[in-house]
Amino acid sequence: GNVPGAPHFNENYILANPTGSLLNVTGLPQAMELNTCGLFGIVGSYTDPTLPTPGNSGVFFMQIAAGGAVTSVFNYIPPAGSGYDIVDVTGAKKSILFPGDWYVTGTVLDPAGLYKVFAMRINECTGAMVWSVVYDIQAPAIHAWGRDIEENLMTPFGFPGAAIVGKLNDGISDDAYLFHIDATNGLPAPHPVIITGSPNTAEEWRSIRQAQAGPLPPGFILGGTTDFYGNKDFMVTRMDFLIAPFFTNIYDYSPNPNTDNLCYDVIERLNSACNYEYYAIGNATNGAFGGSDVMVVKMDQNGVSFLGDEFTYGGAGNEYASKIDQRTTAPCAAPPPNLDGLSMFGSSQNSFAGLGGADMYMIKAYFNGISGCNELFSTPLLLGGMPPNPAMPVIDVFKIIPDVNLSAVRHSMADVTLCFNPIIGGGSNARVAPADDNKNVDQAILVMPNPTATASKEVKLEVNSEVEGNVE
């Protein structure tokens, strides 16, 4: 993607148990940048086909050196004979309050066949487990799945905290949930589980991120899915650090409404005008390019979207997106540095000739969504959202423990750049705002490149105002 910082690597890793037998990686492993160690990491789940079930599964944490070599593969399992199995690992977030530690969450299956949430805190350098807890969300919930976790920078309960999100089922329908934990020991906070949903509809949170203070108090931004309007739609909520929602949005895919679209991740960005904005990513199952396409919805700090704030990327087959990240090296700078922008990650299936069936898929774009390749821009179709409600309590029931380290072998993978231009006409990160409240002070605007498109004599300028009417 033309971002400096070699050495780069593109490796395939195969896990093995201490006897050398190969393991099956399950779920979607999470990539991590281990800043205090100068390493990279991958955390995920596995099953061991050489062991009887239940009890043949675990969580792995693999450390990777700058060139791609494996240094250690730490292993965490349910105790032998417990009857518990690790289903998947779906969320991992770096701690700010405890530098060098990470929170991990996912789902376990208990001996009675019920799904429950688990979380742990581990050290990125030593692999040491600080704590682990399996949670049981009480009746009327029957099953619960852990999807993501994030640290709470406030202390509403008097201790450092974190919040876990996912979905639960009461035997009738799925609801999205959020509950708080004590970040020092993983135990549930004295606060009810917060439910978002309605009877006979299906809701789920897949992502939770910290949201900094702007016009709204600091808190969380949540991303997920609901079928409240018949088909599955993006669901995005901005809330404080406890329960209060500031906006709750539901988005249907505007080029092909009333079809399924699922949100898997959401991020907050401080833009060049020193305002916060949000990007939610997932996929539209009936995309504009055929099959499933990558779908992104952009919102301002109040949850409002504008013309062109729905980005679609795809090919003739199916594209799926699971994560979105940003490179914002100089917030509140106009224009931002050339290499700043969005990175969107997922998979592609049968879309691009010569690449085979399923492949990994990465899109790099400006903050206005322009990547210069297989893209469409439309205006998001906003529907009314649903408020969260306090519901049942949650208790801790079980713990996961460290075990003997695993091993891994690797071999290099090939990658193909399908479409890349160092400068894309119409692509821009530039946003300029007055330097102070004195509206009469002239501000210089530098447009780079100038003109903004090859063989063009035009420079496009967008002017936004906080009030209705003409803007000078």
Side-chain angles (χ1 to χ4, degrees):
N2 198 33
V3 175
H8 304 295
F9 61 87
N10 187 2
E11 302 291 319
N12 182 43
Y13 298 96
I14 302 172
L15 294 180
N17 66 18
T19 66
S21 298
L22 300 185
L23 306 176
N24 295 320
V25 174
T26 58
L28 291 174
Q30 307 293 302
M32 310 148 75
E33 192 172 32
L34 313 182
N35 293 334
T36 62
C37 307
L39 301 171
F40 300 102
I42 298 175
V43 62
S45 55
Y46 71 88
T47 58
D48 188 338
T50 67
L51 298 177
T53 57
N56 72 336
S57 60
V59 176
F60 71 89
F61 166 47
M62 179 166 59
Q63 294 174 331
I64 303 172
V70 177
T71 60
S72 297
V73 186
F74 301 99
N75 183 22
Y76 318 93
I77 63 170
S82 66
Y84 278 77
D85 261 317
I86 306 294
V87 175
D88 58 22
V89 169
T90 49
K93 293 290 178 58
K94 181 186 304 184
S95 172
I96 297 175
L97 301 175
F98 306 97
D101 284 0
W102 283 76
Y103 303 98
V104 178
T105 192
T107 306
V108 301
L109 188 65
D110 76 3
L114 303 179
Y115 292 97
K116 300 185 185 302
V117 182
F118 83 88
M120 60 175 63
R121 198 180 111 203
I122 58 176
N123 184 267
E124 66 180 27
C125 298
T126 66
M129 177 184 288
V130 181
W131 52 258
S132 74
V133 176
V134 174
Y135 306 94
D136 185 11
I137 299 178
Q138 300 292 280
I142 299 174
H143 301 282
W145 293 261
R147 297 307 192 202
D148 203 7
I149 187 169
E150 181 63 287
E151 199 165 57
N152 191 333
L153 296 184
M154 305 295 284
T155 55
F157 309 106
F159 48 73
I164 301 173
V165 297
K167 73 171 181 178
L168 58 81
N169 183 278
D170 61 0
I172 300 174
S173 65
D174 294 336
D175 290 312
Y177 74 80
L178 180 151
F179 68 84
H180 298 276
I181 64 171
D182 186 334
T184 61
N185 55 27
L187 297 179
H191 193 265
V193 179
I194 302 165
I195 300 298
T196 300
S198 65
N200 302 312
T201 63
E203 285 75 34
E204 177 177 12
W205 294 127
R206 296 291 309 210
S207 174
I208 178 172
R209 305 262 189 161
Q210 294 169 5
Q212 305 303 315
L216 305 174
F220 297 120
I221 182 75
L222 310 179
T225 302
T226 177
D227 66 356
F228 183 79
Y229 291 96
N231 56 289
K232 294 181 179 179
D233 298 312
F234 276 34
M235 181 171 65
V236 180
T237 290
R238 170 70 164 87
M239 59 177 286
D240 67 7
F241 275 125
L242 191 60
I243 187 174
F246 300 121
F247 65 77
T248 59
N249 293 349
I250 296 175
Y251 292 99
D252 198 1
Y253 183 55
S254 59
N256 291 312
N258 302 315
T259 58
D260 288 345
N261 39 93
L262 299 90
C263 175
Y264 291 102
D265 197 14
V266 63
I267 59 171
E268 178 188 70
R269 171 188 174 237
L270 183 60
N271 65 24
S272 56
C274 289
N275 294 322
Y276 288 101
E277 57 192 25
Y278 306 101
Y279 298 82
I281 191 169
N283 52 272
T285 58
N286 187 16
F289 295 101
S292 178
D293 290 330
V294 175
M295 173 180 169
V296 179
V297 175
K298 179 180 178 179
M299 295 150 276
D300 72 4
Q301 56 193 350
N302 295 306
V304 179
S305 298
F306 300 95
L307 179 70
D309 279 349
E310 184 177 64
F311 317 150
T312 303
Y313 309 92
N318 295 307
E319 282 70 49
Y320 308 96
S322 57
K323 291 290 181 182
I324 185 169
D325 203 354
Q326 61 180 308
R327 178 182 170 95
T328 303
T329 56
C332 302
N338 289 338
L339 297 179
D340 283 7
L342 300 171
S343 293
M344 294 160 275
F345 306 90
S347 63
S348 172
Q349 189 172 42
N350 300 320
S351 284
F352 305 107
L355 295 184
D359 298 290
M360 291 186 291
Y361 188 45
M362 184 180 79
I363 306 160
K364 295 188 70 66
Y366 292 96
F367 292 114
N368 65 357
I370 290 181
S371 69
C373 189
N374 299 89
E375 59 195 18
L376 174 73
F377 302 97
S378 48
T379 301
L381 180 57
L382 175 62
L383 308 173
M386 291 181 292
N389 297 290
M392 68 288 291
V394 59
I395 62 172
D396 59 302
V397 295
F398 195 70
K399 298 188 183 303
I400 298 169
I401 61 174
D403 194 33
V404 179
N405 281 11
L406 306 173
S407 60
V409 296
R410 66 183 177 119
H411 64 268
S412 295
M413 302 282 285
D415 56 61
V416 176
T417 301
L418 298 169
C419 179
F420 175 74
N421 293 291
I423 298 173
I424 301 172
S428 175
N429 291 328
R431 298 186 65 82
V432 177
D436 51 41
D437 292 333
N438 184 358
K439 306 302 182 184
N440 297 318
V441 175
D442 292 332
Q443 300 294 321
I445 299 176
L446 176 64
V447 180
M448 293 292 291
N450 188 2
T452 56
T454 305
S456 171
K457 296 181 180 180
E458 295 181 348
V459 171
K460 294 181 179 180
L461 177 65
E462 174 188 339
V463 180
N464 292 342
S465 173
E466 297 177 356
V467 297
E468 293 184 357
N470 295 332
V471 179
E472 182 178 90

